[in-house]
């Protein structure tokens, strides 16, 4: 069980190839640093394309392109507010996913990866 969070049956990845493909597409969306930075900005709160571009140091057109992909994959939503669209994370699952990525990278950098399971095995 992952750090007290709700546990989902990962067997679905084995049993349903279409589900596994969708999951892989979502994870692949996180493989670009620019998309991770956009999602991190939206983790802080809703923002327009120009606000996101200013925060992450990208051109607005590049941010728009990445947001289209993230929206298509169900990671962000956008709602029109006058002449602009305001984007936000799709839901708390996306926020949790980002937080887990950061936690995992911190554990790996500190050399803590795998120690949780080793400690559990030693206790058993």
């Amino acid at each position: 069980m992952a750090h007290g969070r709700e546990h989902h049956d990962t067997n679905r990845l084995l049993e349903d190839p279409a589900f596994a493909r969708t999951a892989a597409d979502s994870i692949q969306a996180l493989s670009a640093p620019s998309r991770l930075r956009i999602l991190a900005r939206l983790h802080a709160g809703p923002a327009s394309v120009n606000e996101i571009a200013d925060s992450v140091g990208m051109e607005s057109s590049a941010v728009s392109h990445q947001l289209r992909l993230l929206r298509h994959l169900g990671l962000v939503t956008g709602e029109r507010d006058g002449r602009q669209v305001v984007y936000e994370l799709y839901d708390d699952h996306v926020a949790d996913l980002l937080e887990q990525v950061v936690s995992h990278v911190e554990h790996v950098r500190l050399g803590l990866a795998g120690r949780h399971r080793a400690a559990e095995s030693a206790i058993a």
Side-chain angles (χ1 to χ4, degrees), residues 7-121:
H7 180 73
H8 293 278
D9 183 11
T10 57
N11 285 333
R12 189 158 179 204
L13 294 169
L14 297 170
E15 298 164 357
D16 184 348
F19 185 85
R21 177 76 257 159
T22 300
D25 289 344
S26 292
I27 291 171
Q28 187 176 9
L30 302 178
S31 69
S34 60
R35 290 191 289 266
L36 278 175
R37 296 182 75 223
I38 290 167
L39 290 170
R41 169 55 189 88
L42 293 175
H43 188 276
S48 69
V49 170
N50 290 333
E51 291 169 331
I52 297 167
D54 288 343
S55 295
V56 300
M58 293 172 62
E59 295 293 324
S60 294
S61 60
V63 169
S64 291
H65 174 76
Q66 298 299 342
L67 285 167
R68 275 191 296 279
L69 175 72
L70 294 168
R71 195 174 188 175
H72 173 73
L73 292 170
L75 297 171
V76 302
T77 62
E79 191 169 316
R80 185 157 295 283
D81 182 18
R83 295 181 64 189
Q84 64 184 359
V85 176
V86 176
Y87 291 89
E88 61 185 324
L89 298 181
Y90 184 82
D91 61 14
D92 290 341
H93 293 112
V94 179
D96 290 345
L97 184 61
L98 285 172
E99 291 164 10
Q100 286 295 314
V101 166
V102 170
S103 177
H104 175 71
V105 170
E106 288 172 346
H107 278 165
V108 170
R109 283 186 173 177
L110 294 172
L112 300 174
R115 290 191 179 176
H116 180 69
R117 289 186 184 187
E120 284 179 347
S121 295

